[in-house]
């Protein structure tokens, strides 16, 4: 009963926050803030996709950027080669979903038999393969220089695009929350906790891991689409290790295994990056903002070893246990009297 009440309170809180963010561009007209928040929403989608692997299945991947890059290049190539119309954009979204699903399936089939760091290194090799392909296939990708492209009219207005990014993040959060709370999601969490025991219960661990890989890859591809559209430009940087590391940091700082933690982590990383970059105009020492960024990360790990949301959940659990113990002790004392 208490768990259900707590869940209802959290749902109301999520609804209030989403409503506030939806109304924000109409009450506070700041182009720079809208752009920054749009980036937060985009990387929140990417971080949630990575959380499915790391937080719910216990898989560490160093090649997650390959799916992000596939989405970015797919929409870029479609908008570059064809007219920037809504129909072609939707076709690019569909092709991205198909491509990321197929690639994540075969990559998972080839790599998920390996354990821990062996799998991580092989996924990094696959991401490197896509990076080299993007650099060498210049007739399509224009190499390291990249290319600009036009977008459909409904994506040109920054407020409309902001709302689309917000809506995408909310929809992905709802779908992944439903996915992780489903029987399939429970099996994935069992694999994370004890893979051998889960396999001994009769579950095909490899198949469940591949399902998690496909879901994660498709969501990452959608994040790549939004990222490319936000810049209206794409180059090989979308396949680099930096993208994967960003997703990893966002997930860890926010709290692994908590989808809302991925959103909070994305906000912290993006706002920290923005503020530290702005401080470079104040004093030259802040030009080395990556050092301060590393300090922020170290402090976050020191004071929140389970991530921000994970640490708060642990604190709440301890308080709940203390309350239950005190109630039981009172009941025992009253019974003795």
């Amino acid at each position: 009963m208490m768990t259900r009440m707590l869940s209802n309170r959290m749902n109301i809180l999520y609804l209030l926050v989403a409503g506030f963010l939806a109304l924000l561009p109409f009450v506070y007209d700041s182009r720079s803030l809208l752009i920054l928040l749009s980036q937060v929403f985009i990387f929140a989608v990417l971080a949630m996709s990575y959380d499915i692997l790391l937080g719910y299945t216990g898989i560490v991947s160093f090649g997650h950027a390959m799916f992000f890059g596939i989405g970015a290049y797919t929409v870029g190539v479609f908008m570059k080669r064809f007219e920037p119309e809504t129909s072609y954009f939707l076709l690019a979204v569909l092709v991205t979903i198909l491509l990321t699903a197929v690639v994540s399936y075969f990559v998972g089939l080839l790599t998920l038999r390996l354990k821990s760091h062996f799998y991580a290194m092989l996924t990094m090799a696959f991401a490197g393969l896509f990076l080299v392909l993007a650099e060498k296939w210049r007739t399509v990708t224009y190499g390291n220089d990249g290319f600009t492209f036009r977008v459909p009219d409904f994506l040109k207005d920054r407020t409309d695009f902001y709302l689309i990014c917000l809506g995408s993040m909310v929809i992905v959060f709802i779908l992944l929350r439903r996915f992780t709370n489903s029987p399939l999601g429970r099996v994935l969490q069992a694999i994370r906790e004890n893979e051998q025991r889960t396999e001994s219960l009769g579950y095909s661990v490899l198949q469940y891991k591949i399902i998690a890989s496909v879901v994660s890859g498709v969501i990452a591809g959608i994040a790549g689409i939004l990222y490319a559209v936000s810049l209206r430009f794409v180059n090989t940087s979308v396949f680099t290790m930096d993208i994967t590391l960003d997703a990893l940091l966002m997930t860890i700082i926010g709290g692994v295994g908590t989808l809302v933690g991925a959103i909070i982590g994305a906000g912290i990383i993006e706002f920290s990056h923005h503020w530290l970059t702005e401080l470079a105009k104040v004093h030259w020492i802040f030009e080395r903002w990556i050092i301060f960024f590393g300090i922020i990360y170290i402090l976050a790990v020191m004071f929140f070893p389970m991530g921000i949301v994970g640490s708060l959940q642990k604190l709440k659990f301890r308080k709940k246990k203390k309350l239950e113990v005190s109630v039981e002790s009172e009941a025992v004392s009253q019974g003795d009297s």
Side-chain angles (χ1 to χ4, degrees):
M1 183 68 180
M2 186 176 295
T3 304
R4 185 178 298 177
M5 288 176 62
L6 183 62
S7 177
N8 290 334
R9 288 179 183 177
M10 292 306 298
N11 290 335
I12 293 172
L13 178 61
Y14 296 152
L15 186 61
L16 290 174
V17 173
F20 170 77
L21 291 172
L23 293 174
L24 183 62
F26 302 103
V27 297
Y28 184 72
D29 186 17
S30 173
R31 179 182 173 85
S32 60
L33 181 61
L34 288 187
I35 294 173
L36 179 58
L37 285 175
S38 297
Q39 292 295 306
V40 170
F41 301 152
I42 292 168
F43 278 97
V45 173
L46 177 65
M48 283 190 286
S49 73
Y50 194 82
D51 199 24
I52 293 297
L53 291 179
L54 179 63
Y56 287 92
T57 318
I59 299 173
V60 179
S61 172
F62 287 160
H64 206 58
M66 78 176 92
F67 309 116
F68 186 83
I70 288 173
Y73 266 104
T74 300
V75 71
V77 170
F78 266 80
M79 295 295 98
K80 182 76 172 180
R81 295 299 178 93
F82 304 105
E83 291 295 321
E85 298 177 356
T86 303
S87 58
Y88 287 117
F89 176 78
L90 294 177
L91 182 60
V93 173
L94 179 61
V95 171
T96 295
I97 293 173
L98 292 175
L99 278 177
T100 50
V102 171
V103 171
S104 58
Y105 175 80
F106 282 106
V107 169
L109 195 64
L110 293 172
T111 60
L112 285 170
R113 299 177 190 275
L114 301 175
K115 306 296 181 183
S116 64
H117 60 281
F118 297 106
Y119 167 79
M121 297 304 293
L122 193 54
T123 55
M124 185 168 65
F126 273 106
L129 180 64
F130 277 89
L131 176 60
V132 172
L133 179 65
E135 289 175 347
K136 301 301 182 183
W137 199 5
R138 297 187 64 88
T139 54
V140 175
T141 64
Y142 297 86
N144 290 326
D145 297 330
F147 59 91
T148 58
F149 57 88
R150 295 178 296 168
V151 296
D153 292 337
F154 75 96
L155 294 173
K156 289 181 179 179
D157 184 75
R158 280 295 171 186
T159 301
D160 292 342
F161 183 70
Y162 166 90
L163 293 174
I164 289 171
C165 291
L166 173 61
S168 300
M169 183 189 71
V170 171
I171 291 171
V172 167
F173 175 75
I174 293 172
L175 292 177
L176 290 184
R177 194 181 180 194
R178 176 61 181 164
F179 173 77
T180 54
N181 288 328
S182 68
L184 193 153
R186 299 298 184 189
V187 175
L188 294 179
Q189 294 172 57
I191 293 172
R192 176 196 63 196
E193 297 299 328
N194 194 320
E195 183 174 332
Q196 288 75 23
R197 181 176 294 179
T198 306
E199 193 169 14
S200 68
L201 292 174
Y203 293 101
S204 178
V205 170
L206 179 61
Q207 290 183 6
Y208 281 96
K209 283 185 174 181
I210 291 174
I211 292 172
S213 176
V214 170
V215 172
S216 177
V218 169
I219 300 299
I222 292 172
I225 290 174
L226 295 172
Y227 180 75
V229 171
S230 69
L231 300 178
R232 300 176 194 177
F233 170 79
V234 61
N235 67 355
T236 54
S237 64
V238 294
F239 282 118
T240 59
M241 187 68 177
D242 292 344
I243 299 295
T244 301
L245 289 179
D246 282 343
L248 177 62
L249 291 178
M250 292 170 185
T251 305
I252 291 175
I253 289 176
V256 293
T258 60
L259 293 174
V260 70
I263 298 174
I264 293 173
I268 291 173
I269 295 293
E270 288 300 307
F271 273 97
S272 299
H273 184 187
H274 175 74
W275 286 332
L276 290 172
T277 304
E278 288 294 318
L279 286 174
K281 302 174 184 177
V282 178
H283 197 279
W284 62 268
I285 195 172
F286 292 107
E287 292 178 1
R288 304 293 185 265
W289 63 267
I290 193 67
I291 298 174
F292 295 95
F293 187 77
I295 293 172
I296 291 174
Y297 174 65
I298 292 170
L299 292 174
V301 172
M302 286 176 60
F303 291 102
F304 301 99
M306 299 178 64
I308 293 173
V309 176
S311 298
L312 291 175
Q313 287 180 345
K314 185 177 180 180
L315 182 63
K316 189 178 294 184
F317 178 76
R318 285 179 177 176
K319 288 183 177 179
K320 181 181 176 182
K321 293 298 290 184
K322 286 182 179 178
L323 181 62
E324 290 177 353
V325 169
S326 63
V327 170
E328 289 177 0
S329 62
E330 288 179 5
V332 171
S333 61
Q334 289 176 1
D336 293 338
S337 61

